């Protein structure tokens, strides 16, 4: 992971804390810090991640200049402050702060590892978040500094926790145009291929789906289908384009339906 995209919520030297609210599609003023207290750097999150606290992973943008709420930055991961946070109700969760440097930074462009930062920067950052959380009745406890490599691993794990995920559904006909059923071996081979490529599938075969449409002669046509369902994190469009062409040849169909949708898991 060389670069990632980060979203800024609160800009450098801001006395106000902003939170991104997906429901309203914008940034909402959360609170004001005590007089004399400001954010030392841009503060935001990594989209597409979910941390232990249920929120996207937090980032601190080490840069010579602040931006604005909503600014998207292409950044390099240099490390992280691993920490736990005890909330008012007594629950303790992991709440790390990931350290990034914008690709566009001139002053910090040479920084690739957290060890290259002055110790005073890390000390000031840790003290800032200790005091910041203390004002809300929370106990923020830094544990250790993660290397860039370990920070990247943690981000990849948080990406895998991110929802929604993608659901792909394949609708395959049971019969050809003359009403002859396709062989069971054909469906078995398709199942084996999908399991090999994606690790598992859900097949709805005992109660076939019924498709009804109107042909050019205005006559209703019914078709019974087997439905295969696959869950993936990302969709490989090239793979599915090629696989669809292969299926259309095997089933002698002008076009088969392969549908994608986003779903969440509880």
């Amino acid at each position: 992971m060389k670069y990632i995209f980060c979203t800024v919520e609160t800009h450098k030297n801001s006395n106000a804390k902003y939170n991104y609210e997906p429901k309203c599609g914008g940034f909402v003023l959360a609170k004001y810090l005590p007089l004399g207290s400001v954010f030392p750097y841009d503060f935001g999150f990594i989209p597409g991640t979910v941390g232990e606290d249920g929120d996207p992973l937090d980032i601190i943008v080490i840069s010579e200049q602040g931006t604005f709420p909503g600014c998207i930055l292409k950044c390099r991961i240099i490390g992280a402050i691993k920490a736990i946070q005890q909330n008012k109700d007594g629950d303790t969760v992991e709440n790390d702060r990931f350290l990034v440097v914008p690709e566009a930074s001139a002053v910090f462009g040479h920084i690739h590892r957290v060890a290259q930062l002055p110790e005073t920067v890390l000390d000031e950052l840790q003290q800032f978040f200790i005091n910041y959380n203390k004002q809300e009745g929370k106990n923020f406890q830094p544990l250790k500094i993660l290397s860039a490599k370990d920070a990247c691993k943690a981000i990849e794990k948080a990406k895998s926790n991110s929802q929604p995920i993608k659901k792909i559904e394949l609708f395959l006909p049971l019969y050809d145009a003359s009403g002859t059923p396709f062989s069971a071996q054909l469906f078995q081979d398709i199942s084996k291929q999908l399991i090999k490529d994606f690790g598992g599938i859900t097949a709805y075969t005992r109660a076939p789906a019924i498709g009804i449409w109107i042909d050019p002669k205005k006559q209703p046509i019914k078709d019974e289908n087997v439905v295969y369902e696959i869950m993936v994190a990302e969709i490989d469009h090239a793979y599915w384009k090629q696989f669809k062409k292969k299926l259309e040849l095997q089933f002698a169909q002008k076009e088969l339906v392969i549908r994608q949708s986003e779903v969440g898991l509880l």
Side-chain angles (χ1 to χ4, degrees):
M1 183 194 298
K2 190 172 182 180
Y3 291 99
I4 61 169
F5 287 96
C6 303
T7 300
V8 174
E9 283 184 313
T10 302
H11 53 283
K12 182 178 182 178
N13 295 324
S14 173
N15 177 252
K17 172 68 169 66
Y18 301 93
N19 291 333
Y20 176 67
E21 293 292 345
K23 291 183 179 179
C24 67
F27 294 81
V28 177
L29 175 64
K31 65 176 182 178
Y32 290 106
L33 277 62
L35 290 177
S37 181
V38 297
F39 278 80
Y41 295 99
D42 280 356
F43 181 77
F45 62 91
I46 303 173
T49 61
V50 176
E52 188 177 312
D53 60 356
D55 294 328
L57 297 180
D58 295 324
I59 54 104
I60 304 166
V61 183
I62 308 297
S63 184
E64 62 269 34
Q65 187 170 328
T67 57
F68 54 88
C71 183
I72 297 175
L73 302 172
K74 187 177 182 181
C75 297
R76 178 172 62 252
I77 300 293
I78 63 170
I81 301 172
K82 189 170 185 61
I84 56 173
Q85 176 178 295
Q86 186 177 47
N87 298 324
K88 293 179 181 179
D89 57 9
D91 288 343
T92 300
V93 296
E94 188 174 307
N95 200 355
D96 305 333
R97 300 289 189 265
F98 289 82
L99 306 174
V100 302
V101 172
E103 183 184 27
S105 176
V107 175
F108 295 91
H110 67 288
I111 301 292
H112 290 263
R113 303 183 307 277
V114 68
Q116 293 176 279
L117 290 175
E119 288 188 14
T120 53
V121 171
L122 292 175
D123 291 341
E124 290 170 358
L125 283 172
Q126 293 179 81
Q127 196 59 47
F128 171 79
F129 284 107
I130 290 173
N131 294 333
Y132 173 83
N133 283 278
K134 187 176 181 180
Q135 294 161 12
E136 294 187 337
K138 302 175 183 178
N139 180 25
F140 182 85
Q141 182 181 350
L143 300 177
K144 64 179 180 178
I145 303 298
L146 297 181
S147 67
K149 182 178 179 180
D150 288 340
C152 288
K153 288 181 180 179
I155 292 171
E156 287 297 339
K157 180 181 178 181
K159 282 185 175 181
S160 68
N161 295 334
S162 178
Q163 302 298 336
I165 59 177
K166 312 290 184 182
K167 178 173 73 173
I168 298 174
E169 296 168 296
L170 294 80
F171 296 82
L172 305 180
L174 281 173
Y175 307 96
D176 63 18
S178 66
T180 303
F182 290 105
S183 69
Q185 186 63 49
L186 176 58
F187 291 102
Q188 290 174 10
D189 290 343
I190 293 170
S191 296
K192 289 179 181 179
Q193 183 66 51
L194 292 172
I195 291 171
K196 177 184 176 183
D197 292 344
F198 299 97
I201 62 170
T202 301
Y204 300 91
T205 59
R206 294 185 178 276
I210 305 296
I212 303 176
W213 68 94
I214 304 298
D215 71 1
K217 297 180 181 180
K218 306 299 182 182
Q219 297 296 318
I221 296 177
K222 288 186 178 181
D223 193 11
E224 293 187 357
N225 298 284
V226 171
V227 181
Y228 290 104
E229 183 179 286
I230 301 157
M231 309 290 264
V232 296
E234 297 292 338
I235 294 178
D236 185 340
H237 292 279
Y239 171 93
W240 288 109
K241 183 178 181 180
Q242 183 178 8
F243 193 68
K244 182 179 179 182
K245 285 183 178 180
K246 177 182 176 182
L247 292 176
E248 288 169 346
L249 289 173
Q250 290 176 315
F251 287 92
Q253 300 285 310
K254 289 184 178 180
E255 186 171 7
L256 287 173
V257 175
I258 299 181
R259 183 171 66 187
Q260 72 174 60
S261 58
E262 291 190 345
V263 298
L265 299 177
L266 300 177

